[in-house]
Structures are given as structure tokens and as C-alpha cells.
């Protein structure tokens, strides 16, 4: 048996293989449903996809399939190719490689985009916000911003611009903190200063110190707990006075008691309280050294001396050479050596403080309503009910000068400043005239440097603070009738008392602490109101 050559056997096997492929392809062709002829555009797209799939196959296989099937594919084959490619992938028609879509969109995001229709707006978008809102400018809070009657209605945007203009006008221009560009430029220019600022912020301490002189117009003060809060009086307080050296305040009144309280501005604890049987206190006053309290009654010619060092209460019933039915008003000299009693019919009686003996008496025309010592205790000022002021020499008890208080028909009170520079005289009309000391000594009709007319009822209390920067004027005939006067400018502080908050009621007595740190007012409700003056750091 003859054998075929090797080359012929290989060729026959190749031909048989090709024929088998052809028969399988024709069989597959018969099983697939025939498709209709698509349009020109769809034909080109299918051909491009088909060429892309064929690009990854061997050249011989691509050629045979092209000859057998032509340029069209079945629906099943196309679906199979799409599943092989996977969702979100495309096939490069030139190289046959799969291309990814934009990697920034994940499958979850794509699914969410498909679920939300594009026509629906976000929940935070409100159509009413986009519409122009009209604001009524005739409202009482906005009517001052109207420039004309035509601006009774403004849009919200125009109102915002108007508010910005008003703010800039009040600030004198755009404030620096609102200028972003300048703020950044300044920050770059002052990089060297930042180290100093950081050093400042790393330290603690009070970098803002109070001014040496008391500012005018506004008095920085704070309401404190009542000085006699632990023992309020059930009757009118006739006296409230601070101790000359200790942080103590004294109250006395018609409840027949004298009480001492420690002043701290928070709790003000009670130190001591004494009761005087059947003796409603008209006035009480510390001695100059602060070791004694002198108290007079409303309808009695005797008075009491309370020695705080020994705790004894000494009654002074009769003073030889003095004939008075009642003793109410009195003054203690600043040097502590004299006691001045105001008698009836214009008499003034001068007593020695230690022995309570009569030294001498003085008399004025009319009735003496108020008296005060000069700071050096060398002179006595006395105001009469006829509107005249008498100045006495203490040593000789001689009248140095007598002058008429301008415009006064009936004098009510008097006060001398602690530095001896000013004399204040009050009248029944509520006018308080402030004079300089030198003018009062020279002239009989001096002109006041200031006439304070803020009271509409009779002035009953006048008190200078120790630094002669504040003059407190008050009237016991009207509620909240208390004014504080700035002496350097002779103007009234506008923030005292607080309007629409009735707290003071009828002021009976007033006093400043030794270094003006506190101010107290005794009223007819039995309370000693206490205020902290923030300008002064000491008690």
C-alpha cells in the first residue's frame, strides 16, 4: 500500500478542518432567525461593532466568518457580546479593547441619578425666597429710615442697603473689620507686629486703666444689695452714713434703732444694732475719729452719745447755758473738736466735743435751716429760711460775710465741698446754686457758677463726694428725685436715676464712702440703697 507524501497529508487535513468549520457555521446560520435589513445608520453601527469584536480574533478565523456570515450578526450574539462587555463599558472599534466610562461616577451614583427625575428641585429651594418681598416702612421701628413719602414700601434688598448706609453713617464710614481686602493687606504688611500681639495675649492683667478724671454724661455704676438688707427698717430712714475710716455704714431712723453693717457689696453683713427706747432718731452722725455716734430725737432736748469702743450709751440731758426745747439738727467739725447744734429763733450753739460744754452761741436773722463746717473747721456756713447765707469765724464767732442766694425765697439745705472750693445752696423751688468759696467771702450778691434746675420740688439734701467731682442733690417731696452732678463740667449725669424703674422713692439722706467707691441713699421705705461707682477703685 502506497503512502501519500507528508505535505499532501497536511494539506488534506487543513482542508478537512476548514470544511468542518464551514459546515458548523452554516448549521449555526440556519438556526438563527433572519433579521430584516436595517437602515444605513444602523448598518454602519453594527458593522463597526462587529469589526471591533473581530479585532481580537485570529486573522484566519475573522476571514472565514466574514465569508460565511457576511456583515450581520444575530440578536442573540449581540446580546451575548453585550453581557461579556458588562455594564458601563464600551468597545473601541479600532482596537477591540473595552473602555471604561468616567470613573468619578460609581454604579450606586448612576443608579441614584436614574431613580430621581431631573425635573424635581432640591428640598432647600423655595420659590418664595426668589420672589421680591415688600417691607412696610411706616412701622415705628423703620419710619426714621424713610427719605420721603414715596418710600412707604421698599423691597427687602433695598431695606438691607438702607440699613448698611445708616450703619456706615453712624460709624463714620465702613469699619476696618468689614473691609476684607484692606484687612488682608494690613495683615501681610504687619506680619512683624503679630509676634508682639501674641506676646500680649499670652500675658494676663488689666491693660485698660481707669481715667484719672471722672468722665461726664455717663456715670459707670452698679446696683448692689441694700446696705441694710440683713436688717431693713420698718420705718423711715433719717440717716445713712459711711464710717470715716472703716468699711462700715450706719443707718438710723424712726424705728428707734441704730445699726452698723459691713460693706462688701454682696452680702453686707450686720455688725451691730442698738435700740433706743422711746427715741425716734432724727439724725445720727459719726464723730471725726469714728469711735462715737451722736444721735438726736424728733421731739426731745436730750441726745445720745454711743461709744463704740466701750459699748456704752451716754445720754446728754442738759447743757448748762443753753435753753432749747428741742435739739434736732447738728454738725460735727472735720477736726473732731466741735459740735454745732442748731437751735430755735436763729440760734447756733457751739459745744466742745469731748466735754459737751457750751463754748458760745451765734444768731442769724430768721430761722437757721442748715449749717456746714469748712474743711479746715475754721468757718461755719449757715443757710436761713429767708434766703440768706451767713459765714462765721469759729474762733471769734464773728460774722465774716452775709450774702443773698440768687433767686431764693426760702432756703432749705446747704453743703460745702471737701476741698473748700464750692458752696451749694438749695431752695424750696428745687433750684440748687453752686458758688465758689472766694466769691461768697467777698460779695453780698454773688453770681452762681451754675444753677441746677433738675429738681421740681424743694431740695432737701446736698452732698459732695470726697474728691469734689460729684454733687448729689435730692428732694424728699417726690419719688426718684435724686440727681448726680458732674462738678468739673457742672452737668448732670444722664443715666441716674434709671428711668421707668422706681427704686429710690423718697430720698431722706445720702452719703459717699471715704474714697467715693460707694454711694448710698436712705429712703422712706426703710432701705439703704447701695451703688458701686466703678470709676473709683477704693472704698
Amino acid at each position: 500500500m502506497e503512502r501519500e507524501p507528508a505535505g499532501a497529508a497536511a494539506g488534506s487535513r487543513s482542508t478537512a478542518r476548514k470544511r468542518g468549520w464551514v459546515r458548523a457555521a452554516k448549521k449555526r446560520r440556519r438556526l438563527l432567525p433572519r433579521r430584516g435589513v436595517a437602515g444605513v445608520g444602523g448598518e454602519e453601527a453594527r458593522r463597526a461593532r462587529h469589526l471591533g469584536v473581530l479585532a481580537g480574533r485570529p486573522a484566519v478565523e475573522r476571514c472565514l466568518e466574514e465569508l460565511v456570515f457576511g456583515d450581520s450578526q444575530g440578536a442573540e450574539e449581540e446580546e451575548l457580546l453585550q453581557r461579556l462587555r458588562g455594564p458601563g463599558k464600551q468597545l473601541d472599534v479600532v482596537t477591540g479593547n473595552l473602555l471604561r466610562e468616567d470613573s468619578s461616577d460609581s454604579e450606586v451614583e448612576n443608579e441614584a441619578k436614574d431613580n430621581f427625575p431631573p425635573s424635581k428641585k432640591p428640598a432647600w429651594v423655595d420659590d418664595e425666597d426668589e420672589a421680591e418681598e415688600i417691607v412696610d416702612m411706616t412701622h415705628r421701628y423703620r419710619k426714621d429710615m424713610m427719605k420721603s413719602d414715596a418710600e412707604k414700601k421698599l423691597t427687602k434688598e433695598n431695606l438691607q442697603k438702607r440699613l448698611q448706609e445708616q450703619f456706615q453713617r453712624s460709624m463714620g464710614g465702613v469699619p476696618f473689620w468689614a473691609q476684607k481686602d484692606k484687612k488682608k493687606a494690613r495683615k501681610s504688611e504687619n506680619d512683624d507686629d503679630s509676634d508682639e500681639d501674641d506676646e500680649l495675649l499670652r500675658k494676663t492683667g488689666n491693660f485698660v486703666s481707669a481715667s484719672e478724671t471722672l468722665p461726664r454724661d455717663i456715670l459707670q455704676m452698679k446696683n448692689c444689695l441694700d446696705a441694710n438688707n440683713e436688717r431693713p427698717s420698718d420705718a423711715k430712714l433719717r440717716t445713712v452714713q459711711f464710717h470715716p475710716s472703716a468699711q462700715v455704714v450706719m443707718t438710723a431712723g424712726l424705728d428707734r434703732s441704730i445699726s452698723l453693717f459691713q460693706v462688701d457689696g454682696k452680702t453686707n453683713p450686720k455688725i451691730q444694732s442698738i435700740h433706743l427706747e422711746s427715741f425716734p432718731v432724727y439724725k445720727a452722725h459719726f464723730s471725726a475719729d469714728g469711735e462715737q455716734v451722736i444721735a438726736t430725737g424728733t421731739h426731745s432736748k436730750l441726745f445720745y452719745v454711743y461709744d463704740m469702743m466701750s459699748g456704752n450709751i451716754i445720754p446728754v440731758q442738759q447743757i448748762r447755758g443753753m435753753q432749747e426745747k428741742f435739739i434736732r439738727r447738728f454738725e460735727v467739725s472735720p477736726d473732731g473738736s466741735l459740735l454745732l447744734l442748731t437751735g430755735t429763733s436763729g440760734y447756733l450753739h457751739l459745744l466742745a466735743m469731748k466735754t459737751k460744754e457750751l463754748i458760745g452761741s451765734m444768731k442769724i436773722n430768721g430761722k437757721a435751716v442748715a449749717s456746714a463746717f469748712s474743711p479746715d473747721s475754721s468757718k461755719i456756713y449757715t443757710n436761713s429760711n429767708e434766703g440768706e447765707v451767713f459765714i462765721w469765724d469759729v474762733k471769734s464767732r464773728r460774722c465774716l460775710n452775709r450774702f443773698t442766694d440768687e433767686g431764693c425765697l426760702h432756703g432749705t439745705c446747704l453743703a460745702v465741698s471737701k476741698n473748700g472750693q464750692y458752696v451749694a445752696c438749695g431752695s424750696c423751688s428745687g433750684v440748687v446754686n453752686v458758688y465758689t468759696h472766694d466769691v461768697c467771702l467777698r460779695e453780698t450778691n454773688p453770681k452762681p457758677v451754675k444753677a441746677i434746675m433738675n429738681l421740681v420740688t424743694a431740695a432737701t439734701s446736698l452732698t459732695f463726694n470726697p474728691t469734689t467731682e460729684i454733687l448729689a442733690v435730692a428732694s424728699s417731696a417726690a419719688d426718684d428725685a435724686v440727681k448726680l452732678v458732674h462738678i468739673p463740667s457742672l452737668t448732670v449725669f444722664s443715666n441716674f436715676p434709671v428711668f421707668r424703674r422706681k427704686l429710690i422713692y423718697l430720698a431722706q439722706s445720702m452719703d459717699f464712702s471715704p474714697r467715693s467707691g460707694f454711694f448710698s441713699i436712705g429712703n422712706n421705705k426703710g432701705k439703704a440703697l447701695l451703688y458701686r461707682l466703678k470709676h473709683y477703685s477704693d472704698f
Side-chain angles (χ1 to χ4, degrees), residues 226-228 232-240 251-255 461 474-476 478-482 502-511 520-531:
D226 293 344
N228 62 341
S233 175
D234 55 0
K236 185 185 299 183
L237 275 186
R238 291 293 306 176
T239 296
V240 57
T251 62
L254 302 183
D255 62 345
S461 301
S475 173
S476 61
D479 290 335
D480 287 345
V482 179
K502 187 179 291 187
L503 296 174
I504 300 176
Y505 296 99
L506 303 180
Q508 304 295 320
S509 177
M510 305 179 297
D511 194 29
S520 183
I521 302 173
N523 62 14
N524 66 327
K525 301 289 184 180
K527 295 182 178 181
L529 307 179
L530 188 64
Y531 300 91

Side-chain angles (χ1 to χ4, degrees), residues 12 40 179-180 217 222 363 460 480 502 531:
S12 62
V40 179
Q179 303 175 12
K180 296 182 179 179
D217 297 332
K222 173 188 175 183
K363 188 180 184 306
T460 55
D480 287 345
K502 187 179 291 187
Y531 300 91

Side-chain angles (χ1 to χ4, degrees), residues 2 10 34 56 58 135-136 245 289 310 323-324 333 365 466 474 526 531:
E2 296 179 359
R34 293 185 177 276
V135 181
D136 184 14
S245 57
D289 55 9
S310 62
Q323 301 296 327
E324 293 290 345
S333 64
N365 297 335
Y531 300 91

Side-chain angles (χ1 to χ4, degrees), residues 49-69:
R49 288 196 300 271
H50 181 61
L51 290 175
V53 174
L54 293 178
R57 299 179 182 179
V60 178
E61 187 177 350
R62 289 201 306 270
C63 182
L64 286 176
E65 193 167 349
E66 182 71 18
L67 291 173
V68 175
F69 300 112

Side-chain angles (χ1 to χ4, degrees), residues 159-179:
L159 176 60
Q160 187 176 4
K161 293 180 180 178
R162 185 65 53 82
L163 290 171
Q164 291 177 356
E165 293 175 0
Q166 188 177 14
F167 176 75
Q168 293 176 9
R169 194 181 307 112
S170 63
M171 295 294 293
V174 181
F176 183 80
W177 53 264
Q179 303 175 12

Side-chain angles (χ1 to χ4, degrees), residues 6-265:
S12 62
R13 286 196 299 272
S14 176
T15 303
R17 192 182 299 114
K18 292 180 180 178
R19 289 175 181 174
W21 289 347
V22 171
R23 284 195 300 270
K26 286 182 178 181
K27 184 177 180 181
R28 216 167 45 243
R29 180 79 173 179
R30 287 195 300 271
L31 292 175
L32 295 174
R34 293 185 177 276
R35 301 176 63 183
V37 180
V40 179
E43 192 73 23
E44 292 178 356
R46 286 197 302 274
R47 185 174 179 83
R49 288 196 300 271
H50 181 61
L51 290 175
V53 174
L54 293 178
R57 299 179 182 179
V60 178
E61 187 177 350
R62 289 201 306 270
C63 182
L64 286 176
E65 193 167 349
E66 182 71 18
L67 291 173
V68 175
F69 300 112
D71 56 355
S72 62
Q73 289 181 329
E76 291 85 353
E77 190 172 358
E78 185 175 358
E79 183 179 356
L80 178 61
L81 292 174
Q82 182 65 30
R83 285 200 304 270
L84 291 174
R85 284 195 295 264
K89 299 179 181 179
Q90 294 181 353
L91 188 68
D92 193 342
V93 297
V94 177
T95 63
N97 297 328
L98 295 178
L99 300 179
R100 290 183 178 271
E101 292 184 357
D102 188 5
S103 60
S104 61
D105 295 336
S106 62
E107 294 183 4
V108 178
E109 292 175 345
N110 292 333
E111 185 178 357
K113 291 179 181 178
D114 295 337
N115 293 337
F116 288 97
S119 61
K120 186 177 290 186
K121 293 183 179 180
W124 55 84
V125 176
D126 193 356
D127 294 335
E128 295 182 359
D129 293 341
E130 299 176 1
E132 276 194 349
E133 184 178 350
I134 303 301
V135 181
D136 184 14
M137 297 298 294
T138 59
H139 192 272
R140 60 193 181 103
Y141 291 147
R142 294 185 288 268
K143 63 181 180 180
D144 294 337
M145 291 184 285
M146 292 174 54
K147 294 183 178 180
S148 63
D149 294 338
E151 293 185 344
K152 293 183 178 180
K153 301 284 186 181
L154 281 182
T155 62
K156 196 172 183 180
E157 183 179 357
N158 292 335
L159 176 60
Q160 187 176 4
K161 293 180 180 178
R162 185 65 53 82
L163 290 171
Q164 291 177 356
E165 293 175 0
Q166 188 177 14
F167 176 75
Q168 293 176 9
R169 194 181 307 112
S170 63
M171 295 294 293
V174 181
F176 183 80
W177 53 264
Q179 303 175 12
K180 296 182 179 179
D181 298 336
K182 293 183 179 180
K183 198 171 182 180
K184 292 179 180 179
R186 184 179 177 184
K187 186 176 181 181
S188 60
E189 291 176 0
N190 298 338
D191 288 339
D192 298 337
D193 298 339
S194 61
D195 297 337
E196 298 179 2
D197 296 339
D198 294 340
E199 183 68 20
L200 182 65
L201 294 175
R202 281 195 291 265
K203 297 179 180 179
T204 59
N206 185 13
F207 292 98
V208 181
S209 60
S211 60
E212 295 181 359
T213 58
L214 180 67
R216 56 181 293 180
D217 297 332
I218 302 296
L219 181 61
Q220 298 295 329
M221 61 192 312
K222 173 188 175 183
N223 289 2
C224 299
L225 189 69
D226 293 344
N228 62 341
N229 183 70
E230 288 199 357
R231 191 193 179 279
S233 175
D234 55 0
K236 185 185 299 183
L237 275 186
R238 291 293 306 176
T239 296
V240 57
Q241 187 191 8
F242 289 95
H243 194 275
S245 57
Q247 199 161 333
V248 175
V249 66
M250 175 185 63
T251 62
L254 302 183
D255 62 345
R256 305 173 181 86
S257 64
I258 300 174
S259 301
L260 302 176
F261 303 89
Q262 182 180 357
V263 180
D264 58 6

